[in-house]
Amino acid sequence: MFVSLIRGAAAGAVGTTVLNTVTYGDMLWRGRGASDVPAEVAEALATKAGVVVPGDAETRANRLSALGALSGLGAGCAVGAVCGLARHAGLRLPLPVGAVAAGVGAMVATDLPIGALGVSDPRTWSGPDWLSDLVPHLAFGLATYATLQSLDAPRRRQRRRRCPHARR
């Protein structure tokens, strides 16, 4: 079970890298800036937990930005770990279905705190807003689930060496 958890977390790290690549590609293509939402979620969580993020305004903003990015990496690895545990439990979905499930799971893991903490209200997002959130998460799901499937591939059996004294 531990190996499945680690494999899942590693697959989630692959998926997170793909999600970030798609997101930065979109930023490059459309010329849009980075989202402040991850930093705002980090700030809201810190406030709720009673943790003070130290520093002057610029230093504090940089720390919150880093915390937001790190929480995204953590969420991706956690979603991957859950997928790994589901595979360990015997859930073997076809790649398209597993990819969508993992992608939607990652979306829920990131969008739910956004709404719950009052950082933004996803119910008010426009179609393009949802699309720019959905596409990277589906890319995450595809990369994560495909990586998990590849880690499940049958391993080559090592040829057993016969003992020279064994019967033939």
Side-chain angles (χ1 to χ4, degrees):
M1 184 159 104
F2 182 72
V3 171
S4 297
L5 182 75
I6 297 300
R7 285 181 180 172
V14 170
T16 302
T17 300
V18 169
L19 180 144
N20 287 337
T21 302
V22 170
T23 299
Y24 289 126
D26 177 54
M27 290 167 60
L28 176 65
W29 180 259
R30 295 194 298 162
R32 70 174 180 85
S35 174
D36 293 331
V37 170
E40 291 172 17
V41 168
E43 182 175 30
L45 285 171
T47 300
K48 195 165 190 79
V51 175
V52 176
V53 178
D56 60 31
E58 183 180 354
T59 302
R60 184 172 186 281
N62 291 339
R63 286 187 172 130
L64 289 169
S65 178
L67 281 170
L70 289 170
S71 68
L73 293 169
C77 289
V79 169
V82 168
C83 292
L85 291 175
R87 288 186 73 75
H88 178 79
L91 183 61
R92 299 280 195 275
L93 301 171
L95 179 61
V97 176
V100 169
V104 168
M107 250 179 106
V108 168
T110 56
D111 292 349
L112 199 62
I114 290 170
L117 293 167
V119 171
S120 179
D121 186 355
R123 296 173 297 180
T124 65
W125 294 354
S126 68
D129 291 339
W130 276 107
L131 190 62
S132 67
D133 193 44
L134 178 65
V135 170
H137 284 99
L138 289 178
F140 166 90
L142 180 61
T144 300
Y145 207 75
T147 300
L148 274 174
Q149 281 188 333
S150 72
L151 292 173
D152 282 350
R155 297 172 191 230
R156 293 183 184 164
R157 295 181 186 218
Q158 292 180 353
R159 291 186 180 181
R160 295 183 191 179
R161 294 185 183 188
R162 290 188 149 204
C163 175
H165 305 293
R167 289 187 182 171
R168 294 195 178 213

